[in-house]
Amino acid sequence: DVQLVESGGGLVQPGGSLRLSCTVSGISFDDYAIAWFHQAPGKEREGIACIMETDGSEFYGDAVKGRFSISSDNAKNTVYLQMNGLKLEDTGVYYCAADPLERPGPWFRADRYDFWGQGTQVTVSS
C-alpha cells in the first residue's frame, strides 16, 4: 500500500513558522516528485511547492516564494515544508502528493499526482 502521512500542522500567529512533514511509503521514493498543495477554506487545492526526487530540483508557487522551503531526507523517505513568515491567507489544509512523472504539464497541476496524504490543518490567527 502506498501511504503519504502529513504531520506538523497547528495554530500559529501571523509571522510565525511551522515545519510540515510528509512521510512516504510503498513507492520508490527516488522516482517521484513530491509536492505540497494548499487548500484554503472554500477554495480549490493549489500547488505551492514541489521537489523532484530524481534530481533535487525545487519549484515554488508565487504566493510562497521566499517564505517557504521544500526539502527531503531520502534516508527517511520524508519531505519537509518549512513555512516562515506565515500570513492569514496561508490558513487551510496542506496535502502532500506523489507524482510518478508519467504525464505532461506543469508541476502544480493536481491531476499529475497519483497518491495523496490525508492533509494537515494549518491555522494562522492572532
Side-chain angles (χ1 to χ4, degrees):
D1 271 6
V2 179
Q3 283 194 317
L4 287 80
V5 180
E6 301 99 335
S7 61
L11 174 64
V12 63
Q13 292 186 337
S17 298
L18 281 176
R19 189 177 80 156
L20 306 183
S21 300
C22 171
T23 300
V24 181
S25 60
I27 59 173
S28 180
F29 191 69
D30 293 349
D31 294 336
Y32 281 71
I34 307 296
W36 286 95
F37 284 76
H38 170 228
Q39 188 164 22
K43 296 191 175 180
E44 293 202 355
R45 209 169 288 192
E46 175 188 26
I48 55 171
C50 176
I51 186 165
M52 301 287 182
E53 295 303 332
T54 50
D55 64 6
S57 299
E58 300 172 17
F59 304 90
Y60 296 93
D62 288 342
V64 305
K65 275 180 188 174
R67 298 190 299 126
F68 292 9
S69 177
I70 191 169
S71 62
S72 67
D73 183 336
N74 287 35
K76 296 181 178 180
N77 279 15
T78 299
V79 174
Y80 303 98
L81 184 69
Q82 179 66 44
M83 306 189 295
N84 299 326
L86 282 160
K87 304 177 181 180
L88 297 175
E89 54 263 41
D90 294 321
T91 292
V93 181
Y94 285 74
Y95 299 90
C96 63
D99 171 9
L101 302 175
E102 295 173 347
R103 304 179 186 93
W107 64 269
F108 48 81
R109 284 181 60 101
D111 59 6
R112 291 184 60 99
Y113 296 81
D114 283 353
F115 306 107
W116 292 81
Q118 81 288 350
T120 186
Q121 175 71 39
V122 172
T123 302
V124 184
S125 175
S126 55

